[in-house]
Amino acid sequence: MSDVADRVRKIVVEHLNVDAEKVTEKASFIDDLGADSLDQVELVMAFEEEFSVEIPDDAAESIQTFGDAVAFLTKATS
Amino acid sequence: MFDLTGKRALVTGASGGIGREIAKALAAAGATVALSGTRVGALEDTQKEIGKDCPILPANLSKLDEVDKLVPAAEAAMGGVDILVNNAGMTRDNLFMRMKDEEWDEVLAVNLTAAFHLNRAVLRGMMKARWGRIIGISSVVGVMGNPGQGNYAASKAGLIGMNKALAYEVASRNITVNSIAPGFISSAMTDELNDKQREQILSTVPAGRLGTAQEVAGCAVFLASDAAAYITGHTLNVNGGMAMI
């Protein structure tokens, strides 16, 4: 598991108050992890802070799953 | 229950009238209050009346670059913003048929667009803190309309609608967003009215007198306090009964 994935998982676990095992590659924030639309905005804000990147709105909308977030942030920080 | 000790507030238009009294009342309830306005001298007077150390953050809210610096400056000065009071407002009255684009734009910019920017800017901190209070000072004119004030009425009604929409979005995060709609409040402007004008105005007010800025400020303290934790998206009419809605 990459460092990016660990950091993303930590944010998701803390923010959504879910078990780390549930945060799998395909886990959807809204459908599987109980997030609402505001949680999703907050997650994106937390990712931006953790990784010191700016995530534009259209990119933010495409981040639906844990895997999406890891893929985006891996690319954005490489 | 009305104690605001430890809370940090930002009040726009704190240089006079209602804004000054709101700043004083929040401070008296224990909050640290950052004072914003255009006139530094008047803000310093407000600070003297409060008698506590309050950051003075001059800003011209018709300029968006100044608007966007205000919340970061308040956060830098106080460590965060828990309570935002969008009080700053202006009028450029004219009958509709004669109203110029600039008169419309200027009033909407200060009364509504600046409030939108400030609301958006404080949300991040409030969402993280899972606590926040946003209070917009609207007007009875925004609720009832008033001839010669199409721009002002639009901006004040807009504030109420915007705050209701935002109240929906952030209610689950313990952030309340409310509006206060004052009626005729005693001010430098109403002091200039002649007896006939005053009589005419008071004939529409069941209470038979003008309101005071303190009476509006008390409502702001209430909405900022834990006593009002379950009130959101509300418009508190403070008008001596002139519009019972």
Side-chain angles (χ1 to χ4, degrees):
Chain A
M1 188 54 77
S2 71
D3 167 55
V4 172
D6 285 343
R7 286 157 73 193
V8 172
R9 177 172 287 115
K10 188 160 177 282
I11 289 170
V12 173
V13 165
E14 274 174 14
H15 190 88
L16 299 178
N17 209 9
V18 292
D19 292 336
E21 303 86 71
K22 287 197 175 160
V23 186
T24 57
E25 174 85 19
K26 294 249 181 326
S28 154
F29 296 125
I30 287 179
D31 296 334
D32 302 316
L33 300 174
D36 61 19
S37 55
L38 204 52
D39 286 317
Q40 206 159 14
V41 173
E42 286 186 282
L43 281 173
V44 167
M45 277 164 30
F47 297 152
E48 288 180 328
E49 261 172 44
E50 171 70 20
F51 293 92
S52 305
V53 293
E54 201 162 312
I55 304 177
D57 283 349
D58 52 348
E61 278 164 28
S62 72
I63 299 176
Q64 298 291 328
T65 66
F66 173 68
D68 293 340
V70 173
F72 179 88
L73 291 162
T74 303
K75 202 173 159 202
T77 54
S78 64
Chain B
M1 205 169 201
F2 299 96
D3 183 31
L4 298 177
T5 304
K7 302 296 187 203
R8 298 150 302 184
L10 169 62
V11 179
T12 67
S15 44
I18 292 173
R20 174 176 290 179
E21 292 307 320
I22 290 174
K24 284 163 63 181
L26 292 173
T32 303
V33 186
L35 309 171
S36 184
T38 46
R39 294 171 292 140
V40 177
L43 292 173
E44 286 169 351
D45 291 343
T46 305
Q47 187 187 38
K48 270 182 216 137
E49 286 186 33
I50 289 174
K52 281 199 285 191
D53 196 23
C54 351
I56 290 181
L57 308 170
N60 179 346
L61 298 189
S62 64
K63 300 198 164 79
L64 278 184
D65 57 326
E66 293 191 30
V67 173
D68 289 335
K69 283 181 190 145
L70 188 49
V71 169
E75 288 174 339
M78 300 188 291
V81 175
D82 306 298
I83 301 162
L84 169 66
V85 183
N86 282 308
N87 165 74
M90 60 172 295
T91 54
R92 285 282 181 273
D93 297 355
N94 213 340
L95 289 175
F96 227 93
M97 290 182 71
R98 301 191 58 82
M99 186 169 287
K100 298 178 187 66
D101 287 0
E102 302 83 68
E103 291 168 337
W104 173 272
D105 290 342
E106 206 178 349
V107 167
L108 268 290
V110 171
N111 297 7
L112 186 58
T113 307
F116 158 61
H117 277 244
L118 295 173
N119 282 359
R120 189 175 55 184
V122 296
L123 281 177
R124 189 177 276 242
M126 288 180 180
M127 298 260 283
K128 272 196 176 164
R130 291 287 189 271
W131 198 94
R133 294 284 190 270
I134 295 175
I135 300 166
I137 305 304
S138 179
S139 165
V140 67
V141 169
V143 181
M144 304 289 285
N146 198 29
Q149 294 199 302
N151 48 2
Y152 186 74
S155 71
K156 293 301 189 179
L159 199 60
I160 290 173
M162 172 176 72
N163 282 353
K164 286 182 178 177
L166 178 55
Y168 264 108
E169 290 188 20
V170 296
S172 66
R173 302 301 193 267
N174 258 340
I175 302 168
T176 70
V177 190
N178 292 291
S179 308
I180 297 175
F184 286 112
I185 304 299
S186 185
S187 67
M189 204 171 67
T190 56
D191 287 346
E192 285 170 21
L193 298 170
N194 62 37
D195 285 351
K196 196 177 164 217
Q197 287 170 316
R198 180 176 294 263
E199 206 176 298
Q200 210 165 15
I201 285 174
L202 291 183
S203 70
T204 66
V205 182
R209 65 172 179 87
L210 299 175
T212 66
Q214 287 91 338
E215 286 167 332
V216 179
C219 297
V221 171
F222 167 62
L223 289 174
S225 74
D226 283 334
Y230 203 51
I231 298 175
T232 195
H234 187 71
T235 304
L236 196 46
N237 293 289
V238 187
N239 59 32
M242 79 178 277
M244 302 189 194
I245 29 175

